[in-house]
Amino acid sequence: MKIKQYLSMALVATSAISFAPHVVAKTDGVSPYLPLKVDSMIELEIERLASITNMPKLTKPYHIASVVSYLNKVKHSHPSLYNRLNSYVERYKSKSAITHYSVELGYGEKDGGTLGNQRGQSFDSIGKLSARGFYQTSEYLIFNAGGSIVHGQGIVPQSSFVSFGVDYMQFDLGYREHWLSPMQESASLLSTNAPTAPSITVSNVSPLTDFNIHYEMSLGLLEEMSGIHFDDKISDGRPGLLTMHLSGQPIDGWTIGLNRSFQFAGGERSITLSDIWQAIIDPVNSDNCGGTDLVDCDEEVGNQIASITNRFDFSVLDTPVSFYFEYAGEDTKDHKNYQLGNLAYTYGLFLPYLSESSSVYFEYSDYHSHWYIHHLYDEGYRNDGTVMGHWWANDRIIDDKVGGQTFNIRYNLDIQDFGHLTAKARFITLNESSKADYETAREFELSYKQTYNKGFVGVSLINKKNVYGDSFNRISVSYNW
């Protein structure tokens, strides 16, 4: 993608501000973000808080300000949860701070693929060093620095970006991460499965109106990929990625959201602001050749995915429960803009307190065909070679259109005040394919963390069998603060 094309895309993201609800500027400024898939223990506590307090958020990472605003609601009902989170957010209450650092040493057998939701980290990676921090010059400007040095990948600069604006319109420029789903272990459109792309994002920290409306729009630049088709030519280049999110809370306990992602341009594929706008308002005639005004498939603008996400928070016999539902489509159905095709259904069930010291999370997905592949992009819906959405497609042949089902269960147990045990099981069943004789894949992970020197020392064991029937093992030790 040429520089002037990327500048044009930045203008699109900036001009998108006009679609946000108009509000009177407040004195409250921007907010830092809580970690995303880097600190499993504190992220569990955040999900517990979101479930118990009906927090109206369907995307991640969470703003610190959002969590702080809901903390007092659990101060008396869940004092342990309050104390843990309150102690953690203290590190964000200074002008500058290191908010996270960790080191991991591991050994995994080769050809084990990638680790799910770990930004493309390979199964056989032997080490990772991560850190993040911030410097806040005023309530309207924050410099965030973070990332990882990973064996086999080098520097992975997630969480390095500049935040500026006000609480109703915060801009993030740089390697800010996105997770477009309420699910805790996956996201159909965008997750941390692939490395973070540089982007400009605009969103609101404080909810709008009594319906707790949240919006988010980002425009990113993916890594260079090969096999980009246009006008009977094949070229290499860096596609753009546009994402959009809008959510609200019609009634207390129910949050519903709409999401779109749009992969476009790159290589010899040129694009205009008008093309982007038409693709947003009329995807059928922009991205669905055949049976529409669009006859030449090479003239499609790009690759779009959409989803409707829901979260229901309620109690059963005084036990808090959260139920999640994601309805996604890789295409339109019958060439109609209002119908999704090539569907995917994901269901999640979270019991934040199965007992006073334990929680359990279930997740099931069913994907129809053609997910994460596209005739304009030989590498499909990927960044730096890794699928940007759900991890189930990590081991599938790159151009195989076959769908499948996944099941995921996670059990967490607090062991008094010093230890934490996590047990995970994942299963993948791919549908019948002409490209490979796939088998049911499974992955078991057991990890334990214990307090040590103001942080946590941990050990993790993984045993997996991939969709080709090959088995692999991995062990790692870590320290994080």
Side-chain angles (χ1 to χ4, degrees):
M1 179 179 295
K2 299 176 177 62
I3 295 297
K4 62 180 181 181
Q5 291 176 315
Y6 185 62
L7 292 176
S8 296
M9 290 194 300
L11 289 175
V12 174
T14 305
S15 64
I17 303 165
S18 60
F19 293 99
H22 177 72
V23 294
V24 178
K26 294 178 60 178
T27 56
D28 294 335
V30 294
S31 171
Y33 293 93
L34 284 157
L36 180 58
K37 294 301 175 184
V38 296
D39 191 333
S40 59
M41 289 180 62
I42 199 63
E43 290 171 52
L44 171 63
E45 302 292 47
I46 296 167
E47 295 294 350
R48 281 171 164 168
L49 177 70
S51 175
I52 294 168
T53 62
N54 301 330
M55 189 184 297
K57 282 285 288 179
L58 295 178
T59 64
K60 303 178 185 70
Y62 292 105
H63 294 96
I64 285 286
S66 299
V67 171
V68 171
S69 66
Y70 280 84
L71 255 183
N72 282 332
K73 293 186 176 183
V74 299
K75 185 174 184 178
H76 301 294
S77 61
H78 297 81
S80 295
L81 175 63
Y82 172 85
N83 290 332
R84 288 174 181 172
L85 282 175
N86 190 57
S87 175
Y88 184 85
V89 299
E90 281 294 326
R91 63 187 66 182
Y92 291 89
K93 292 183 178 180
S94 58
K95 185 176 181 179
S96 62
I98 300 297
T99 57
H100 167 83
Y101 59 83
S102 64
V103 59
E104 176 188 291
L105 297 175
Y107 171 78
E109 294 174 297
K110 291 185 177 181
D111 302 319
T114 57
L115 297 169
N117 298 328
Q118 290 301 307
R119 305 165 182 87
Q121 182 180 352
S122 64
F123 192 83
D124 61 356
S125 172
I126 63 173
K128 179 169 69 174
L129 179 65
S130 301
R132 58 186 293 170
F134 72 96
Y135 174 69
Q136 185 161 3
T137 62
S138 72
E139 61 180 323
Y140 307 109
L141 179 62
I142 303 176
F143 293 92
N144 303 275
S148 303
I149 301 175
V150 185
H151 171 253
Q153 282 183 282
I155 297 176
V156 182
Q158 81 271 9
S159 302
S160 292
F161 55 94
V162 179
S163 299
F164 58 94
V166 294
D167 58 344
Y168 288 121
M169 193 176 292
Q170 173 168 327
F171 291 88
D172 301 310
L173 180 60
Y175 290 86
R176 191 268 218 196
E177 297 185 299
H178 304 84
W179 184 287
L180 298 181
S181 176
M183 304 296 166
Q184 297 182 27
E185 294 292 333
S186 73
S188 295
L189 270 64
L190 194 57
S191 68
T192 60
N193 194 55
T196 308
S199 65
I200 180 171
T201 303
V202 59
S203 63
N204 60 317
V205 180
S206 299
L208 304 171
T209 79
D210 292 337
F211 293 102
N212 292 319
I213 294 172
H214 282 89
Y215 70 90
E216 180 181 308
M217 190 170 187
S218 75
L219 187 62
L221 186 63
L222 303 179
E223 294 297 320
E224 183 166 323
M225 63 171 58
S226 59
I228 300 175
H229 294 252
F230 181 70
D231 197 22
D232 294 325
K233 299 177 182 177
I234 300 177
S235 60
D236 299 343
R238 301 185 67 179
L241 183 69
L242 175 67
T243 68
M244 294 168 283
H245 166 81
L246 181 67
S247 63
Q249 204 169 52
I251 59 175
D252 189 38
W254 175 32
T255 309
I256 182 171
L258 305 174
N259 308 277
R260 291 270 292 275
S261 69
F262 177 30
Q263 179 186 11
F264 62 96
E268 296 297 321
R269 298 189 63 83
S270 61
I271 197 167
T272 67
L273 298 182
S274 176
D275 292 333
I276 295 175
W277 177 245
Q278 287 299 317
I280 293 173
I281 65 174
D282 188 10
V284 166
N285 287 305
S286 297
D287 289 329
N288 295 154
C289 63
T292 68
D293 296 338
L294 184 62
V295 178
D296 186 355
C297 292
D298 258 8
E299 296 298 323
E300 289 187 5
V301 179
N303 177 23
Q304 296 198 60
I305 308 177
S307 70
I308 303 172
T309 51
N310 294 266
R311 196 184 79 215
F312 302 90
D313 302 312
F314 53 95
S315 295
V316 177
L317 301 177
D318 295 326
T319 299
V321 178
S322 288
F323 175 73
Y324 314 103
F325 174 55
E326 182 176 69
Y327 175 77
E330 193 276 335
D331 210 334
T332 58
K333 180 182 179 181
D334 297 330
H335 297 100
K336 295 178 181 178
N337 282 325
Y338 58 86
Q339 289 187 349
L340 296 178
N342 296 335
L343 299 175
Y345 305 89
T346 301
Y347 307 87
L349 181 66
F350 181 44
L351 278 67
Y353 287 99
L354 187 63
S355 68
E356 187 176 347
S357 59
S358 65
S359 67
V360 65
Y361 176 74
F362 303 91
E363 189 175 293
Y364 172 80
S365 297
D366 186 357
Y367 281 79
H368 292 187
S369 63
H370 290 83
W371 273 86
Y372 308 131
I373 67 169
H374 200 270
H375 62 273
L376 298 181
Y377 301 98
D378 285 351
E379 294 189 30
Y381 188 74
R382 296 170 180 257
N383 188 35
D384 202 22
T386 304
V387 170
M388 293 184 285
H390 198 302
W391 44 263
W392 73 270
N394 282 349
D395 290 335
R396 186 188 63 177
I397 294 176
I398 192 169
D399 61 346
D400 197 344
K401 65 182 181 181
V402 70
Q405 301 78 43
T406 72
F407 177 70
N408 185 97
I409 181 172
R410 188 192 71 224
Y411 175 75
N412 295 89
L413 176 65
D414 295 321
I415 302 175
Q416 297 183 4
D417 292 328
F418 59 82
H420 186 86
L421 180 72
T422 302
K424 291 183 184 180
R426 290 173 171 172
F427 301 90
I428 304 172
T429 302
L430 297 182
N431 298 335
E432 186 175 351
S433 171
S434 61
K435 292 182 176 292
D437 186 16
Y438 295 121
E439 299 184 15
T440 297
R442 48 105 178 114
E443 180 178 309
F444 302 110
E445 180 178 357
L446 185 66
S447 59
Y448 175 76
K449 290 186 176 182
Q450 182 169 315
T451 56
Y452 175 77
N453 193 25
K454 298 183 179 181
F456 292 90
V457 61
V459 59
S460 176
L461 303 171
I462 299 177
N463 171 265
K464 68 176 286 187
K465 184 185 78 168
N466 65 17
V467 294
Y468 307 103
D470 302 318
S471 296
F472 305 91
N473 296 285
R474 176 179 173 84
I475 183 172
S476 62
V477 294
S478 62
Y479 175 81
N480 73 279
W481 176 85

